[in-house]
Amino acid sequence: MTPPDIATTATARLVDGLRDRTARVARAVAGRAPDTPVPTCPAWPLRTLVGHLGQEHRWAAELVRSGQQLPPPDPHRADPGPPDEWAEWLQQGAEELIRAVRRVGAERESDTFAGPLPAAFWLRRMLADTCVHHYDAACATATAFEIADDLAAVVIGENLDLLTMPAFAAVRPAVAELRGRGEQIGFRPGSAEGWVVTRRPGGLRWERGPVEADVVASGSAADLMLLIARRITPQDGRVTVTGDRALLDHWLAHSAL
């Protein structure tokens, strides 16, 4: 079954978003010292972050071209080249993925860890990861990070789609711990429609709409994206939490992608 946000997000928006975010990462990291610490990915220096991002874009492109599952690459073995070539190398990887999707068609299905899904799945997956890693790069290089509300919403929806896919627990076993007895976790972006996750015995379900839940995190769409991606904590002043905070803490402890 195609996740809902793939069906409703135009391919052109995914392509534009991937290009824009990759370009922003490229500007943030170009020429920087390879061993620069990345505070939000404490096990990685900047070189590994750059290598991972360019490597996964190319890996996703090969997945689209082959239509088959391939082992995830090791980010520590990626070679982005010298820092003054990072910007070009990153943008080449994004363009390789875009060309692959266009060549096979955004709706053409290929085998994934979650079963057959259209090629646009990989565009959205890589866009979401690039948005989050742009924040990582910005933190490492003390450069600006901003993201439009609609793009942050795409990233949030993509994250929740993955977590609610039955097959995802095989990739991330901790997700199985998120099943529950109907408890609800809400994410409210100001006055706009938010996201409500329901923890059911048979798995997770999420929907958009008015946010009424056992625990609610409120903030801008960008800050909620960073919270869900575990880049900021519930104690961060950019978000407000009401209700059962322990329920949110448990969610965040078991929802890492």
Side-chain angles (χ1 to χ4, degrees), residues 65-188:
R65 286 190 294 261
S66 69
Q68 299 177 353
Q69 294 190 64
L70 299 171
D74 180 353
H76 295 282
R77 302 185 67 178
D79 181 11
D84 61 356
E85 296 178 5
W86 282 356
E88 182 179 2
W89 185 77
L90 284 168
Q91 291 177 90
Q92 286 174 347
E95 290 301 323
E96 184 175 337
L97 173 57
I98 291 166
R99 285 195 302 270
V101 172
R102 285 178 168 166
R103 187 172 297 124
V104 305
E107 298 306 315
R108 177 182 169 182
E109 291 190 341
S110 61
D111 193 20
T112 76
F113 61 84
L117 288 171
F121 168 85
W122 290 111
L123 268 182
R124 191 176 63 132
R125 174 84 284 274
M126 293 301 105
L127 169 59
D129 215 37
T130 304
C131 288
V132 174
H133 286 319
H134 176 211
Y135 180 76
D136 296 329
C139 288
T141 59
T143 53
F145 174 83
E146 57 183 21
I147 185 169
D149 287 348
D150 72 313
L151 194 53
V154 169
V155 179
I156 292 170
E158 197 272 343
N159 180 290
L160 297 178
D161 273 344
L162 286 180
L163 293 173
T164 53
M165 286 178 178
F168 194 65
V171 181
R172 294 287 188 272
V175 172
E177 299 297 322
L178 295 176
R179 296 173 182 172
R181 300 180 179 179
E183 302 94 335
Q184 292 187 314
I185 303 163
F187 302 96
R188 180 184 292 139

